[in-house]
Amino acid sequence: ISEGDQTLGKVWVMQSKQSITFGPETIWLVALILGGLILCGWFTIYLLSKKLSRPIRQVAYAAEQIRGGNYDVSLDLNTREREINELVNSFRDMATRLQQLEEWRTLSLAGVSHELKTPVTSIKGLVMAVRDDVVSPQEGKEFLDIALKESERMERMVADLLDYNAMVAGSVAVRKERTDLKLLVGEIIYQWKIAYEDKMPEVQLHVPPINFFTMGDALRIQQIIVNLLNNALHATAPEQKAVFDIYLSTEEQMLYVDVKDHGTGIAAEEQPKIFERFYRGELKKRRNRGLGLGLTYSRLLAQEQGGELTLVSSSPEGSMFRLSLPRWTATQEAMNTEKAYGAAVKV
């Protein structure tokens, strides 16, 4: 307060900044904006969750159908979310694969039942013919010989089935010890040729002049190679001479045993399936009976020894399978010696 050039006094008027900044209209405006944002956010979340939950609900419904045994489910969904698309595509592929496995299981069970039922029916008919004196004594003896062969064939099939089940259950012991593969393969060929002396098979062993020591189980290796030779013999046409070649080779830390035949080969559409359990090609079904577990069991034995069994090639001129086994090295020998010494000290 001034008068002229003199200041008579001062008057202070005090008010809070909040009352100046936020009036009632401003507060209502801010509240409306916040409420609108909350509603928009909730609505957006609702739309997104509904959009995301729709394909998940359909996948859940399809899973419920599969659990009930209906594998023929359709998921025609295409969303912009990459993760949801991957989930739907993976589930669709899984449903297709399960349907194929279910069909394959049904066919395999029917095939196994048929293969086991055939010799039983044959034995029953032959024995009944002999019991009822339908045939002469000489023919009866022949019938009994046939029944004995059928029973032996059925015994082998049951043994294959038991061996496979035991292998899958992990109850088959596979040893890993130093084995001279060159000597072992030579002995296997000699014994196998004696067993099939009536068919006079020829087996040529091709070995380079080096040592072939592997780390594996000699008995299991013999099972694999004998199975490959038997399959090669079955693949040989009746009018064709049975000639096989076995090649031993090495590469870094692996040894290879290649078994090559000159038979009729494996059809191209059958090659991806030959290692599946209970699978038997059309030609094999016509020529001989079995459960289709030989190659499956042989591959499992090879894998248990740290190796692999694969089909290298197949054509109308023949097929070649390769058995790969780990090579025995000085380091492994030292490690085994150290383990044996440690066990002896512990005892």
Side-chain angles (χ1 to χ4, degrees):
I1 301 173
S2 60
E3 182 180 0
D5 295 333
Q6 294 181 354
T7 301
L8 301 178
K10 294 181 180 181
V11 176
W12 294 89
V13 178
M14 303 185 66
Q15 188 177 6
S16 66
K17 293 182 179 180
Q18 185 174 4
S19 62
I20 298 174
T21 307
F22 297 100
E25 296 82 2
T26 307
I27 295 175
W28 278 107
L29 179 61
V30 172
L32 288 175
I33 292 174
L34 289 176
L37 290 175
I38 292 173
L39 289 175
C40 290
W42 177 85
F43 187 68
T44 303
I45 293 173
Y46 171 77
L47 292 179
L48 288 176
S49 61
K50 188 175 181 181
K51 183 180 179 181
L52 293 175
S53 64
R54 186 184 301 113
I56 295 176
R57 285 199 306 268
Q58 294 191 24
V59 170
Y61 177 75
E64 189 73 19
Q65 295 293 315
I66 291 177
R67 188 177 68 174
N70 179 23
Y71 299 97
D72 189 13
V73 295
S74 60
L75 290 173
D76 297 329
L77 298 173
N78 188 13
T79 63
R80 295 181 180 179
E81 289 74 19
R82 181 172 56 86
E83 293 79 5
I84 298 296
N85 278 331
E86 291 178 355
L87 172 64
V88 172
N89 292 332
S90 300
F91 191 88
R92 188 186 295 116
D93 295 340
M94 182 194 70
T96 303
R97 180 59 176 168
L98 285 175
Q99 185 177 10
Q100 294 174 351
L101 290 175
E102 181 64 19
E103 294 175 354
W104 180 246
R105 184 188 68 83
T106 304
L107 292 175
S108 300
L109 183 60
V112 171
S113 302
H114 176 267
E115 292 297 335
L116 292 176
K117 182 180 178 181
T118 301
V120 173
T121 305
S122 176
I123 293 171
K124 181 179 179 181
L126 294 169
V127 173
M128 288 181 64
V130 175
R131 185 197 65 179
D132 298 338
D133 296 328
V134 177
V135 295
S136 63
Q138 182 63 29
E139 291 176 334
K141 185 176 180 181
E142 294 177 359
F143 276 30
L144 291 177
D145 290 338
I146 297 174
L148 181 60
K149 292 181 180 179
E150 289 291 320
S151 64
E152 292 175 351
R153 184 179 294 111
M154 185 174 65
E155 184 181 9
R156 287 197 299 270
M157 288 191 290
V158 173
D160 290 342
L161 186 60
L162 293 176
D163 289 342
Y164 173 77
N165 290 333
M167 187 70 191
V168 172
S171 58
V172 175
V174 176
R175 297 184 298 176
K176 294 183 179 180
E177 56 188 8
R178 184 172 182 266
T179 303
D180 188 343
L181 192 59
K182 185 189 302 185
L183 180 62
L184 177 62
V185 173
E187 294 177 353
I188 293 172
I189 294 173
Y190 177 76
Q191 296 175 8
W192 184 80
K193 289 176 66 176
I194 293 177
Y196 291 94
E197 190 174 1
D198 55 330
K199 298 184 180 181
M200 294 184 295
E202 293 184 9
V203 183
Q204 301 292 332
L205 179 59
H206 308 271
V207 186
I210 58 175
N211 293 327
F212 281 87
F213 291 101
T214 184
M215 183 176 63
D217 191 325
L219 177 60
R220 305 306 179 185
I221 296 173
Q222 180 178 5
Q223 286 181 274
I224 298 172
I225 296 179
V226 167
N227 182 56
L228 293 177
L229 289 173
N230 290 339
N231 289 347
L233 187 62
H234 295 152
T236 305
E239 67 280 0
Q240 185 181 4
K241 184 175 179 59
V243 179
F244 313 117
D245 295 283
I246 296 182
Y247 302 88
L248 296 187
S249 59
T250 180
E251 180 179 334
E252 296 182 355
Q253 301 300 319
M254 299 300 292
L255 300 179
Y256 302 110
V257 182
D258 296 334
V259 179
K260 179 177 178 56
D261 64 67
H262 302 277
T264 53
I266 304 170
E269 62 273 11
E270 295 179 356
Q271 293 180 16
K273 306 176 184 178
I274 58 174
F275 289 102
E276 294 183 3
R277 55 183 179 179
F278 304 120
Y279 181 80
R280 300 172 66 239
E282 293 299 326
L283 182 62
K284 196 171 183 180
K285 289 179 182 178
R286 293 195 298 267
R287 288 187 178 177
N288 64 297
R289 295 203 299 268
L291 296 181
L293 287 174
L295 288 176
T296 308
Y297 183 61
S298 297
R299 169 172 274 188
L300 288 176
L301 288 177
Q303 292 173 347
E304 285 294 320
Q305 298 176 81
E308 187 57 82
L309 179 63
T310 57
L311 174 64
V312 178
S313 62
S314 184
S315 66
E317 287 73 32
S319 305
M320 184 168 74
F321 286 86
R322 167 167 290 182
L323 169 63
S324 60
L325 295 168
R327 189 174 186 177
W328 185 273
T329 61
T331 304
Q332 293 168 338
E333 186 171 4
M335 291 175 59
N336 281 7
T337 303
E338 183 178 353
K339 289 181 181 178
Y341 175 76
V345 172
K346 185 176 181 180
V347 173

